[in-house]
Amino acid sequence: MLSHEENEKLCRVGPGTPMGELLRRFWIPICPSKDLAQPDSDPVRIRRLGEDFVAFRDSEGELGVLDEQCFHRGASLSFGRVEDGGIRCLYHGWKYAVDGTIMDTPNMRQEHFKKKFKAPAYPVYEAGGVVFAYFGHKEHQPPPPKYKWMEGPDEWRYVFEMIQENCNWVQAVEGGLDSSHVGILHGDEVALITRGEYDPKGIGKDRYPSVDQAPRLEIEDTTFGFHYVALREALEPGKYYARITPYVMPFMTFPAFASAVMRVPRDDESTAVISVAWDPDDYPNEAAIMDRQGMDDPRVYGPDKRLRILPQDREAMRRGESFSGIRGFNPQDGAMTMNMGGPILDRTKEHVVPSDMAVLRMRRLLLRCADAVANGEAPPQLDPAVDASEVVGTSGVIDVDDDWRKLVPAHKAL
Amino acid sequence: MPTEVSHDLYGELDESLGAPLAEVLDRTCIILLDRGGIDDLTYLNVSPAVYQSVVRSRAKEVRRGGPMSLLGLLLRRDESLSGNETSAA
């Protein structure tokens, strides 16, 4: 639980809020690269941290992120024409380059105006099939992010974005740090994984060799945030099934193996979830991923990227064929985190227990870092010496006396 | 002697007290896990400041007379604890 004041500080991300100021120190994932696939492709409306932006790729392939509202009279540039090296507002034809340079003002001929002013534009970085932008103060801008999943050609990855409405970002991230729900909410999938029938080369690679529902948990602070392990009695006597989940401040979790999930606040009440499946040995298959997630159904996930939860299959639940009556990890998680009594979970009412350890650590870390930034300090995770490029989520069967950290040798403990 | 929370005590709380619950829960949770869990425990004794923060946040639950808990243990105010201290028993 948290006090009301702590919960407000943790969850609200608008300009000037403590958490908003912390998050603006980091590069923010704004969309998959494929949304802006070609030079002069359609502009994309972006909502992040309670503010609205437009992203576009100019004729030379350069990416730009500007305030959504036109510098002139505030029309939405998301309706604009991307052409001849810039984006042109439909309303009065003002045109902007990726760096905010005003290229054209058809209703005002004075040339000096264009030289004197610039539309607000934000630094952009693209890697691993994801576009990032930096919305903080220029003097605090960190080096671009570098993660394992950014390596290699695009064929190694599948990236998709999903929007969870009525869901504050914190409860979404908490779901990614909550081992004890996996064997329950996702019990249908775990049963398939155990039988080798679910993504046997991906998330089901280890076949989840345990039936232990009460794992022993250990947590360790790291340079990038923290990682924790769920140690379950393995099917093989005398062994532990160790499943390690890293949390890279402030958005990213690594569910297992070659995947990463970034749960980014669009505003206080909705979250953009950008997932990356990455595997150089067995290229991710888009159709198979969406099928497994139950997201190949347009009633669940369509072009607007909104996740919608279908009515549960209560008959299948009664027949013992499904625990949740919901198909797929993402819809199952969404059904929980998008229905927590309002868009922002009231944490004064919850009753956490020791198995919620990683959730508690994340909250403490975020609140401490928000306080640090408010006191003029930098978030320690952005120290230039911190290297998160080898961080992975993984699992393995180890001897009960073994140190689980040997499975993640690149993770630097504090 | 630690005192269990009751709705009668709510009106006697010292409004000047308070504790950062995110810090308290994170620290206490690790202590509980390090000692092997809470199976053999019943109570979590907490300092007056922690007690105040929990009860203030749970005003509605306290008014209903519900048993107050933290991390799966029944909550007791312990005057011998100070600051943000907690102690399982």
Side-chain angles (χ1 to χ4, degrees):
Chain A
M1 72 175 291
L2 294 176
S3 67
H4 174 73
E5 294 76 16
E6 286 173 311
N7 204 35
E8 289 289 299
K9 187 193 281 188
L10 182 69
C11 295
R12 298 206 181 268
V13 297
T17 60
M19 195 56 63
E21 292 303 302
L22 169 65
L23 298 186
R24 284 170 175 78
R25 293 293 191 100
F26 292 82
W27 285 89
I28 306 293
I30 60 166
C31 66
S33 295
K34 64 187 178 192
D35 288 2
L36 295 160
Q38 305 293 333
D40 288 340
S41 55
D42 296 344
V44 175
R45 180 184 265 161
I46 304 288
R47 184 160 177 79
R48 290 293 184 271
L49 308 175
E51 298 186 275
D52 294 307
F53 307 94
V54 64
F56 66 102
R57 195 185 293 274
D58 73 9
S59 312
E60 302 300 316
E62 292 292 314
L63 286 164
V65 174
L66 308 176
D67 281 349
E68 182 188 350
Q69 267 50 59
C70 177
F71 190 67
H72 173 218
R73 290 273 313 284
S76 173
L77 291 174
S78 68
F79 292 104
R81 300 171 60 92
V82 183
E83 58 190 12
D84 301 328
I87 185 167
R88 186 184 296 279
C89 180
L90 286 191
Y91 204 3
H92 302 91
W94 286 35
K95 184 177 174 185
Y96 308 94
V98 291
D99 66 352
T101 296
I102 300 173
M103 301 170 75
D104 197 10
T105 54
N107 62 349
M108 195 183 68
R109 299 258 168 83
Q110 290 90 335
E111 283 299 311
H112 73 276
F113 179 84
K114 286 188 274 187
K115 291 181 181 131
K116 212 172 189 177
F117 297 100
K118 253 184 160 185
Y122 301 89
V124 187
Y125 178 68
E126 183 179 27
V130 177
V131 180
F132 295 80
Y134 177 74
F135 299 121
H137 295 290
K138 191 174 173 58
E139 65 268 28
H140 296 139
Q141 183 179 329
K146 191 177 173 196
Y147 302 114
K148 186 89 178 155
W149 53 263
M150 292 175 171
E151 293 174 5
D154 288 342
E155 295 75 44
W156 289 9
R157 273 176 298 275
Y158 175 61
V159 180
F160 72 97
E161 181 180 21
M162 173 183 82
I163 292 172
Q164 293 190 194
E165 292 185 313
N166 199 46
C167 178
N168 177 263
W169 73 287
V170 178
Q171 61 216 49
V173 179
E174 287 174 350
L177 293 169
D178 177 7
S179 278
S180 65
H181 86 276
V182 174
I184 300 170
L185 176 64
H186 307 307
D188 298 350
E189 285 72 19
V190 169
L192 292 172
I193 287 170
T194 307
R195 298 200 298 268
E197 296 171 10
Y198 188 99
D199 193 15
K201 292 179 179 172
I203 198 170
K205 195 185 291 183
D206 68 4
R207 299 187 65 168
Y208 205 88
S210 175
V211 292
D212 184 356
Q213 294 283 21
R216 203 182 101 204
L217 300 171
E218 292 181 20
I219 196 164
E220 183 175 59
D221 289 331
T222 61
T223 54
F224 53 80
F226 65 80
H227 58 183
Y228 73 98
V229 65
L231 293 165
R232 294 177 168 89
E233 289 181 18
L235 296 176
E236 189 180 348
K239 304 270 190 184
Y240 273 139
Y241 170 48
R243 198 173 180 92
I244 298 165
T245 304
Y247 168 61
V248 176
M249 274 273 290
F251 308 118
M252 198 178 311
T253 59
F254 293 72
F257 311 115
S259 64
V261 183
M262 293 160 274
R263 296 171 174 92
V264 190
R266 298 179 71 244
D267 48 41
D268 292 343
E269 301 190 349
S270 69
T271 303
V273 182
I274 296 180
S275 301
V276 182
W278 178 89
D279 193 339
D281 300 321
D282 186 49
Y283 299 170
N285 179 306
E286 174 180 349
I289 288 172
M290 299 315 261
D291 173 51
R292 281 195 300 270
Q293 290 284 0
M295 291 171 65
D296 54 344
D297 184 337
R299 295 172 300 166
V300 175
Y301 180 75
D304 70 356
K305 299 184 179 180
R306 263 77 179 164
L307 177 68
R308 296 179 179 84
I309 310 301
L310 296 179
Q312 286 167 278
D313 187 345
R314 291 274 173 187
E315 282 305 314
M317 293 166 73
R318 273 189 276 274
R319 289 194 302 267
E321 294 168 4
S322 172
F323 175 75
S324 65
I326 302 168
R327 182 171 154 239
F329 280 95
N330 283 340
Q332 288 159 3
D333 284 328
M336 300 300 107
T337 57
M338 292 158 69
N339 292 282
M340 299 190 113
I344 299 179
L345 169 63
D346 181 354
R347 291 175 177 78
T348 67
K349 293 180 177 172
E350 64 177 5
H351 293 78
V352 291
V353 292
S355 62
D356 297 310
M357 170 198 68
V359 167
L360 301 178
R361 177 59 52 90
M362 184 201 79
R363 295 174 184 175
R364 192 209 69 180
L365 185 58
L366 284 169
L367 288 168
R368 273 192 186 180
C369 288
D371 287 341
V373 168
N375 291 326
E377 300 166 31
Q381 298 80 14
L382 289 176
D383 186 305
V386 173
D387 178 8
S389 65
E390 295 295 324
V391 173
V392 290
T394 192
S395 72
V397 174
I398 58 174
D399 288 333
V400 289
D401 298 325
D402 270 354
D403 187 347
W404 52 271
R405 294 167 188 81
K406 74 177 188 180
L407 297 172
V408 285
H411 295 189
K412 298 283 182 287
L414 286 180
Chain B
M1 181 64 186
T3 314
E4 283 183 56
V5 174
S6 78
H7 73 283
D8 294 332
L9 288 169
Y10 184 68
E12 299 167 13
L13 291 173
D14 180 350
E15 289 296 329
S16 67
L17 289 175
L21 291 177
E23 297 281 341
V24 171
L25 266 78
D26 178 62
R27 193 189 68 244
T28 306
C29 183
I30 296 302
I31 292 170
L32 295 174
L33 287 169
D34 283 349
R35 68 172 297 288
I38 61 172
D39 288 352
D40 57 340
L41 298 173
T42 305
Y43 295 106
L44 184 69
N45 300 330
V46 300
S47 70
V50 175
Y51 171 89
Q52 165 75 20
S53 287
V54 175
V55 174
R56 185 164 49 208
S57 297
R58 291 265 168 80
K60 197 170 166 185
E61 206 167 322
V62 173
R63 282 191 210 104
R64 286 178 180 160
M68 298 297 292
S69 70
L70 209 56
L71 293 167
L73 298 170
L74 290 169
L75 196 71
R76 291 195 301 196
R77 176 181 175 132
D78 189 337
E79 299 291 343
S80 70
L81 298 175
S82 61
N84 299 334
E85 286 181 333
T86 61
S87 168

